[in-house]
Amino acid sequence: MIRVAVAPKAWIGRVQRAARFLPGTIALAALTCSALPAAAQSADQYPSRPVKIIVPYAPGGATDIIARHLASKLNEMFGQGFIVENRPGASGNIALDAVAKSAPDGYTLFVGNVSTNAINENLFANTMQSRPSRDLVGVTKLVEIPHLVAASMAFPANSIAEAMEQLRKNPGKYNYASASLGSYTHLDMLKLLKAAGTDMTHVPYKGGAGQMIPSLITNETQLAFINVSSTIEQIKAAKMKAIATTAPSRLPELPEVATMAEQGYAGIGTNAWQGLFAPVATPKPIVDKLYNATAAILSKPEMKEMLARQLLTVTLSKSPQDFTELVQKEMREWGEFIRDNKIKID
């Protein structure tokens, strides 16, 4: 049996010096072997340096909100910096690609959602450099968020029926916002417009809710499917209005706002999840450690209550495998919807 010396730095140095005299692939193999002790770091040692959590949208949206709450608590738990980095653009694919190509060592993580991890692979199969189902592994679902149909205060409609009537009377006049091309906020509006037999102009925002909200407040756009967590304060302050919720029943925070089902559009609208991911080859002990730490943080009553006040409902997965399987199932279902409706993103 071959045993590694107790002093790994000296051993690495000897191998690296020897590798300089070896040709081609033999030298590469020697250098690769020299890195093994670092790559084989045990979960007990993790994390030993700062961890980056990449968010695919601009600050201010639900994905960013839960990522920052989680990062703060992981920082407290481990005594290492968990740093949120916002990388908006390309419907989340810029951030996805950065994580997929990062070292699978637990030091680059990703907070994504149904758009980035279940829809994008179906819509951008010909252009995506990385594939979430192949290149990322799920750690856990974090939260679920009810959504609503928001309207600018200047838009003369207070219900879905009134909104659709305005669109029919004024073709080409109004715009709707989405959190990027192919996002569920985009696809949900396509479902609604198709069901209502009308249309409006799509304005995608690469920064997600953080850019959609100002567009509604300034009346640059007039309608959007958007999460309640990001918009509740603006609605209460009468900077925008809610004309429907996508939840199964009326929300206690907005009791006067009827559901989509009550307004004759049952099944339209996504109550989306946010989840934590890592590069696919991340060692299982590190993925398990991240899962256990995240579950411990989000299971605390005070954490659940704080998130609930922001309309974020903690919905942890039973295991990383359970979450990975859920994402793959949703990816297949969205793929069927996209193919059945011949939706293409040019």
Side-chain angles (χ1 to χ4, degrees):
M1 178 175 67
I2 299 173
R3 302 187 69 178
V4 177
V6 175
K9 290 183 179 178
W11 178 78
I12 291 170
R14 289 198 296 273
V15 174
Q16 289 174 328
R17 286 193 294 273
R20 290 200 296 269
F21 300 99
L22 297 174
T25 57
I26 299 176
L28 178 60
L31 286 169
T32 302
C33 289
S34 74
L36 285 176
Q41 174 185 248
S42 72
D44 290 341
Q45 297 170 299
Y46 173 85
S48 59
R49 54 186 170 85
V51 177
K52 185 186 300 181
I53 300 178
I54 295 182
V55 170
Y57 305 113
T63 310
D64 181 71
I65 290 169
I66 185 58
R68 291 183 185 278
H69 283 311
L70 180 62
S72 174
K73 295 301 180 182
L74 288 171
N75 188 4
E76 292 176 12
M77 177 178 284
F78 291 116
Q80 286 289 347
F82 280 73
I83 303 161
V84 173
E85 180 179 309
N86 299 87
R87 290 200 193 181
S91 300
N93 291 336
I94 290 173
L96 272 170
D97 194 50
V99 178
K101 292 180 177 179
S102 65
D105 53 11
Y107 289 95
T108 303
L109 306 175
F110 181 74
V111 174
N113 57 33
V114 63
S115 290
T116 57
N117 291 75
I119 295 174
N120 281 14
E121 192 161 332
N122 292 292
L123 278 177
F124 305 106
N126 295 328
T127 57
M128 287 183 75
Q129 297 184 42
S130 303
R131 294 180 178 272
S133 65
R134 179 192 65 200
D135 300 324
L136 299 182
V137 61
V139 178
T140 183
K141 186 197 291 186
L142 301 170
V143 294
E144 289 184 357
I145 315 163
H147 278 58
L148 50 77
V149 179
S152 72
M153 296 301 293
F155 186 57
N158 294 299
S159 69
I160 295 296
E162 291 177 4
M164 296 304 104
E165 185 63 23
Q166 280 294 321
L167 299 182
R168 295 187 192 99
K169 289 180 177 177
N170 301 279
K173 180 178 180 179
Y174 296 117
N175 306 321
Y176 73 92
S178 83
S180 67
L181 282 168
S183 65
Y184 63 88
T185 55
H186 176 197
L187 299 184
D188 282 344
M189 188 62 78
L190 289 181
K191 289 181 186 179
L192 174 59
L193 295 173
K194 181 179 179 181
T198 187
D199 201 4
M200 60 192 308
T201 302
H202 178 211
V203 182
Y205 291 93
K206 67 180 182 179
Q211 292 179 327
M212 293 167 68
I213 291 168
S215 81
L216 288 162
I217 291 173
T218 61
N219 198 38
E220 180 177 288
T221 60
Q222 287 72 48
L223 287 176
F225 277 91
I226 193 166
N227 73 77
V228 182
S229 176
S230 299
T231 55
I232 188 69
E233 295 305 319
Q234 287 81 6
I235 291 168
K236 288 180 177 179
K239 294 181 179 180
M240 64 174 70
K241 56 188 173 183
I243 63 173
T245 70
T246 64
S249 58
R250 296 196 183 197
L251 299 173
E253 295 81 4
L254 298 168
E256 73 286 357
V257 180
T259 67
M260 291 291 289
E262 287 178 297
Q263 299 188 58
Y265 292 93
I268 296 178
T270 302
N271 290 306
W273 47 260
Q274 309 288 331
L276 184 64
F277 298 84
V280 70
T282 303
K284 187 176 184 299
I286 291 178
V287 172
D288 289 342
K289 187 169 188 177
L290 283 166
Y291 171 82
N292 291 331
T294 301
I297 288 167
L298 295 184
S299 295
K300 291 181 178 179
E302 60 270 26
M303 191 67 172
K304 286 184 174 182
E305 291 169 9
M306 183 271 291
L307 292 171
R309 288 194 295 272
Q310 296 179 277
L311 296 172
L312 301 172
T313 302
V314 173
T315 50
L316 290 163
S317 304
K318 294 179 181 178
S319 67
Q321 180 63 25
D322 181 70
F323 181 47
T324 298
E325 290 173 359
L326 169 71
V327 176
Q328 291 173 346
K329 175 177 177 290
E330 292 205 2
M331 186 191 72
R332 291 191 296 269
E333 291 173 351
W334 277 104
E336 290 175 6
F337 168 78
I338 289 165
R339 288 188 295 274
D340 290 347
N341 289 275
K342 298 179 174 59
I343 297 171
K344 299 177 71 175
I345 302 298
D346 298 320

